[in-house]
Amino acid sequence: MKRETFVFSQKKVDYLFDASFNEIENFFPKEKIIIITDDNLFKHHATRFEAYKVITIPHGEAHKQQATIDNIVQQLLAFEADKQSCIVGVGGGVVTDMAGYAASIFKRGTKLALAPTSILAMVDAAIGGKNGIDVGPYKNMVGTVHQPDVLLFDYSFLSTLPTEEWVNGFAEIVKHACIKDADLFDLLQQNTIEKFMADKAAIAALVERNVAIKTSVVLQDEFETGDRKLLNFGHTIGHAIENIYHLPHGHAVSIGMVAACNISEEINNFYSVDKEKIVKLLEQYRLPVKINIDTDKIWELLLMDKKRNAGNMNFILLNKIGDATIVPIGLIQLKQLVKESL
Amino acid sequence: MKRETFVFSQKKVDYLFDASFNEIENFFPKEKIIIITDDNLFKHHATRFEAYKVITIPHGEAHKQQATIDNIVQQLLAFEADKQSCIVGVGGGVVTDMAGYAASIFKRGTKLALAPTSILAMVDAAIGGKNGIDVGPYKNMVGTVHQPDVLLFDYSFLSTLPTEEWVNGFAEIVKHACIKDADLFDLLQQNTIEKFMADKAAIAALVERNVAIKTSVVLQDEFETGDRKLLNFGHTIGHAIENIYHLPHGHAVSIGMVAACNISEEINNFYSVDKEKIVKLLEQYRLPVKINIDTDKIWELLLMDKKRNAGNMNFILLNKIGDATIVPIGLIQLKQLVKESL
């Protein structure tokens, strides 16, 4: 187990890499721990949770809504939780988001630990303190920025992760390579998803490298006034696609990244040959790069996006592989670009 | 208008004393302002709000629940509110709490201004960034600590404040005197509530003095790890009484303060003669000092209180008038003390 400490504005966060889940007890009194997980994960790992109070929520993005939070709050009251209680979110991005949000509002804030169990949650969702719930069809409309006290990476949870979810997670890994790390891009080109699924040391190193990228971006810009927006590469169009076509997050982001590459080529002098490299890498990691799509519907939903700002939308484009930039694009031009890019 | 700026950990807060409500437009673009107020206040001051987007919520503590927040979120979406929107809570403590909470969670945080319109909200609820909603019968079980950008004091709103609400507010003013300001205690002894209701300059000065007391306590201890707890004087038992007997907040706190004085006398060498002075002052400001009460029920609810900590409860006691202290009391002893103090 390797421990690193990062100091955020609100608190310091302990990252525990290559840890065993029960090491959480070294950080919080056992009787103050309340686990939030989903029914799927609970089914696979019930014995790990035997010693703790557990709140189980239904799995899937459809339940990332206020009704589930209402239910969590009732159970926290029943457990007589207080500000010294530690909510431990164990699961994928939906669980870590819900646990983070619950911990930030219950009694104005309890202790929080997150143990991400999917690649996506490990390299992205669980890091940086952002949480959120959806409001009807609109994603992450309500939430807070609330850092966990502890982030625990127990790679043994990955043994039950479906292949589909490995693929999903690699969309964010390719994203990190595209916006920040050309060497990581090379490394990904030289490997396959099967390699990482079979080699525990390789996936551990890859997760740590991606956690470092995301953490460094967040530390430089915790409240998303600047550089943190780069992490939205592929996500603006991706979220709209995800919403309308109910694609898995990674699939939608993959298509969104290709669209953003097309726009980068169109207005940001991004090389066509680099775009082709990115498309090829996404396909290599089994991610889709195109779908038949109603671009008018996508545009309608884009207009509801959080990132809109008066007559412009801030869009993340690539300069080259490993180097991204924020470009405000006028809505009229953007509508045309989106149409052509998909 | 007088402007002071205080720097909290998250942001600086501009206090605008003796201001006109529409001066809010000097701080935020008019089209980004969304007012949250209640139906009572809207009825009395509709013309002041004509130029703005307005969300009206039903008045009263009974509506300080998640269902009202759900409704506010839907209306914010309909107004296409974003992170640059400024939610302006105009009303008493319920409204400023709801507006503050909504602003802290909508799109992970919008701009926030509060224009408290009751004495209680001016000297207490609107200051310090704490917000909260009730969960069923349990008060402020969910909320955040989120400072407003602007606090605007327009005393002309007090013209429509019912006498009952003036009385309520003075409970918190007497509390500030008891825990922090013996000179203020003297000043209150030399005046009456009628005097303050009739004299705009006197109430303005009194509000400013009380705002200064609360702000100074909060600045020293924004996240309530120490001295801020002193502001709970009279509130632990007060909240329980308020809950069970549905008394107005100020009435319940007044009775709670008398109980805390009795306990202070019993175990903290607080002079009986000072206790009598406090009882007399509360009566002078038309506040109740005793009710017939089921102490078992009160005790049951106390055990659910946020301030409980393992086998102890932190209780605020007086050393003398103007000087308070935090005393952890064992639950067994406290049960007996509460029984005898009421």
Side-chain angles (χ1 to χ4, degrees):
Chain A
M1 197 263 278
K2 187 171 118 189
R3 174 175 170 180
E4 290 185 43
T5 303
F6 295 96
V7 180
F8 290 84
S9 73
Q10 300 167 337
K11 59 170 77 144
K12 64 176 185 50
V13 181
D14 281 316
Y15 286 50
L16 313 180
F17 293 107
D18 204 7
S20 289
F21 178 66
N22 58 12
E23 292 182 62
I24 193 71
E25 291 175 34
N26 300 331
F27 291 82
F28 305 98
K30 197 166 184 169
E31 70 277 11
K32 301 304 279 180
I33 292 174
I34 300 173
I35 288 170
I36 297 181
T37 190
D38 71 25
D39 50 2
N40 249 348
L41 204 87
F42 187 79
K43 196 175 60 190
H44 284 117
H45 301 278
T47 53
R48 295 187 191 218
F49 304 137
E50 266 170 3
Y52 308 101
K53 302 185 186 86
V54 180
I55 297 173
T56 308
I57 61 177
H59 69 277
E61 177 94 18
H63 298 282
K64 204 177 123 173
Q65 299 271 345
Q66 181 61 41
T68 309
I69 294 291
D70 292 342
N71 183 276
I72 289 171
V73 166
Q74 289 298 337
Q75 294 193 59
L76 290 171
L77 283 172
F79 283 135
E80 300 191 10
D82 57 31
K83 294 168 85 70
Q84 277 71 45
S85 297
C86 180
I87 291 177
V88 184
V90 188
V94 171
V95 167
T96 57
D97 261 27
M98 304 283 279
Y101 185 51
S104 79
I105 60 168
F106 188 74
K107 298 197 179 177
R108 298 198 186 100
T110 70
K111 305 280 181 195
L112 172 66
L114 297 176
T117 61
S118 69
I119 297 292
L120 189 106
M122 285 183 183
V123 303
D124 186 15
I127 300 159
K130 273 204 214 173
N131 56 57
I133 56 172
D134 305 338
V135 177
Y138 304 115
K139 291 174 72 68
N140 297 321
M141 281 292 127
V142 161
T144 62
V145 179
H146 182 80
Q147 301 299 337
D149 300 276
V150 170
L151 264 174
L152 185 149
F153 298 85
D154 179 343
Y155 305 119
S156 71
F157 281 112
L158 294 173
S159 65
T160 57
L161 190 69
T163 304
E164 175 73 16
E165 287 302 322
W166 281 82
V167 171
N168 249 323
F170 269 82
E172 302 293 349
I173 292 174
V174 172
K175 180 192 78 178
H176 285 153
C178 287
I179 64 170
K180 281 285 174 190
D181 190 343
D183 289 343
L184 173 59
F185 196 90
D186 293 345
L187 176 81
L188 291 171
Q189 284 182 313
Q190 292 150 24
N191 283 282
T192 62
I193 199 160
E194 290 74 14
K195 164 76 192 303
F196 287 113
M197 288 173 73
D199 183 342
K200 201 195 144 185
I203 190 65
L206 188 69
V207 166
E208 275 196 47
R209 183 168 186 162
N210 278 274
V211 168
I213 292 172
K214 170 132 190 195
T215 300
S216 130
V217 172
V218 172
L219 277 176
Q220 284 164 42
D221 179 22
E222 195 175 342
F223 293 99
E224 200 170 358
T225 52
D227 227 34
R228 188 167 181 171
K229 292 191 210 294
L230 300 183
L231 296 168
N232 288 324
F233 178 62
H235 279 63
T236 308
I237 291 175
H239 273 158
I241 295 174
E242 186 176 354
N243 239 311
I244 298 174
Y245 295 94
H246 303 286
L247 291 188
H249 180 71
H251 288 205
V253 166
S254 179
I255 296 164
M257 286 194 284
V258 175
C261 283
N262 286 328
I263 297 176
S264 302
E265 190 186 350
E266 191 69 32
I267 66 170
N268 199 43
N269 299 317
F270 183 58
Y271 291 134
S272 170
V273 57
D274 282 346
K275 185 190 76 184
E276 293 311 323
K277 276 189 199 162
I278 291 173
V279 169
K280 191 163 164 246
L281 187 68
L282 291 167
E283 289 176 330
Q284 182 177 329
Y285 283 86
R286 304 199 200 167
L287 286 158
V289 295
K290 198 159 179 56
I291 49 164
N292 285 323
I293 216 161
D294 178 344
T295 54
D296 288 337
K297 268 196 191 168
I298 297 288
W299 179 249
E300 236 170 77
L301 215 64
L302 276 189
L303 287 178
M304 288 297 299
D305 194 279
K306 289 194 299 297
K307 287 167 273 298
R308 186 162 61 101
N309 205 340
N312 287 313
M313 193 179 289
N314 286 321
F315 219 85
I316 313 306
L317 300 180
L318 294 184
N319 301 317
K320 58 183 183 187
I321 288 173
D323 183 20
T325 184
I326 306 168
V327 180
I329 308 180
L331 291 183
I332 293 166
Q333 184 189 14
L334 185 62
K335 186 174 180 181
Q336 190 58 31
L337 286 167
V338 167
K339 225 184 174 81
E340 292 165 3
S341 71
L342 279 164
Chain B
M1 197 262 281
K2 185 171 122 190
R3 175 176 170 181
E4 291 185 42
T5 302
F6 295 96
V7 180
F8 290 84
S9 72
Q10 300 168 337
K11 59 171 75 144
K12 63 176 184 50
V13 181
D14 281 317
Y15 286 51
L16 314 181
F17 293 107
D18 206 7
S20 290
F21 178 65
N22 57 11
E23 292 183 63
I24 194 73
E25 291 175 34
N26 301 331
F27 291 82
F28 305 98
K30 196 167 184 168
E31 70 277 11
K32 299 304 279 181
I33 291 173
I34 299 174
I35 288 170
I36 297 181
T37 190
D38 71 26
D39 50 3
N40 249 348
L41 203 87
F42 187 80
K43 196 174 61 190
H44 285 117
H45 300 279
T47 53
R48 296 186 191 221
F49 303 137
E50 267 170 4
Y52 308 100
K53 301 186 187 83
V54 181
I55 296 173
T56 308
I57 61 177
H59 68 276
E61 177 94 18
H63 298 281
K64 202 176 125 174
Q65 299 270 344
Q66 181 62 40
T68 309
I69 294 291
D70 291 343
N71 183 275
I72 289 171
V73 166
Q74 289 299 337
Q75 295 194 59
L76 289 171
L77 283 171
F79 282 135
E80 299 190 11
D82 57 29
K83 293 168 83 72
Q84 278 71 46
S85 297
C86 181
I87 290 177
V88 184
V90 189
V94 171
V95 168
T96 57
D97 261 27
M98 304 283 280
Y101 185 51
S104 80
I105 60 169
F106 189 74
K107 298 198 179 176
R108 299 199 186 98
T110 69
K111 305 281 181 195
L112 172 66
L114 296 176
T117 62
S118 70
I119 297 292
L120 188 104
M122 286 183 183
V123 304
D124 186 15
I127 300 159
K130 273 203 218 174
N131 57 56
I133 56 173
D134 305 337
V135 177
Y138 304 115
K139 291 175 71 68
N140 297 320
M141 281 292 126
V142 161
T144 63
V145 178
H146 181 80
Q147 302 300 337
D149 300 276
V150 170
L151 264 174
L152 185 150
F153 298 86
D154 178 344
Y155 304 120
S156 71
F157 280 112
L158 294 173
S159 65
T160 57
L161 189 70
T163 304
E164 176 72 17
E165 287 303 323
W166 281 83
V167 171
N168 249 322
F170 269 81
E172 302 294 349
I173 291 174
V174 172
K175 180 193 78 178
H176 286 153
C178 286
I179 64 169
K180 280 286 175 192
D181 190 344
D183 289 344
L184 173 60
F185 196 90
D186 293 345
L187 176 82
L188 291 171
Q189 284 183 314
Q190 291 149 24
N191 282 282
T192 62
I193 199 161
E194 290 74 15
K195 165 75 191 305
F196 287 114
M197 288 174 72
D199 183 342
K200 202 195 145 186
I203 190 64
L206 188 70
V207 166
E208 276 196 48
R209 182 168 187 161
N210 278 273
V211 168
I213 292 172
K214 172 134 189 193
T215 301
S216 128
V217 172
V218 172
L219 277 175
Q220 283 165 42
D221 179 22
E222 195 175 342
F223 293 98
E224 198 170 357
T225 52
D227 227 33
R228 188 166 181 172
K229 291 190 208 293
L230 299 183
L231 296 167
N232 288 324
F233 178 62
H235 279 62
T236 307
I237 290 175
H239 273 158
I241 295 174
E242 186 175 355
N243 238 312
I244 298 174
Y245 294 94
H246 303 286
L247 290 188
H249 181 70
H251 289 205
V253 167
S254 179
I255 296 164
M257 287 194 284
V258 174
C261 283
N262 285 328
I263 297 175
S264 302
E265 191 186 350
E266 191 70 32
I267 65 169
N268 199 44
N269 298 318
F270 183 59
Y271 289 136
S272 170
V273 58
D274 283 346
K275 185 190 75 182
E276 293 310 324
K277 276 189 198 162
I278 292 173
V279 169
K280 191 164 165 243
L281 188 68
L282 291 167
E283 289 176 329
Q284 183 177 330
Y285 284 85
R286 304 199 203 167
L287 286 158
V289 294
K290 198 159 179 51
I291 50 165
N292 285 324
I293 217 160
D294 178 343
T295 54
D296 287 338
K297 269 198 193 168
I298 296 289
W299 180 248
E300 237 172 77
L301 216 64
L302 277 189
L303 286 180
M304 288 298 299
D305 193 279
K306 288 195 299 298
K307 287 167 273 301
R308 185 161 62 98
N309 205 340
N312 287 314
M313 192 179 288
N314 286 322
F315 219 86
I316 313 306
L317 301 180
L318 295 184
N319 301 318
K320 58 183 184 187
I321 288 173
D323 183 19
T325 183
I326 306 168
V327 180
I329 307 181
L331 291 183
I332 294 167
Q333 184 189 14
L334 185 62
K335 185 173 179 181
Q336 190 57 32
L337 286 167
V338 167
K339 224 184 174 83
E340 292 166 3
S341 71
L342 281 163

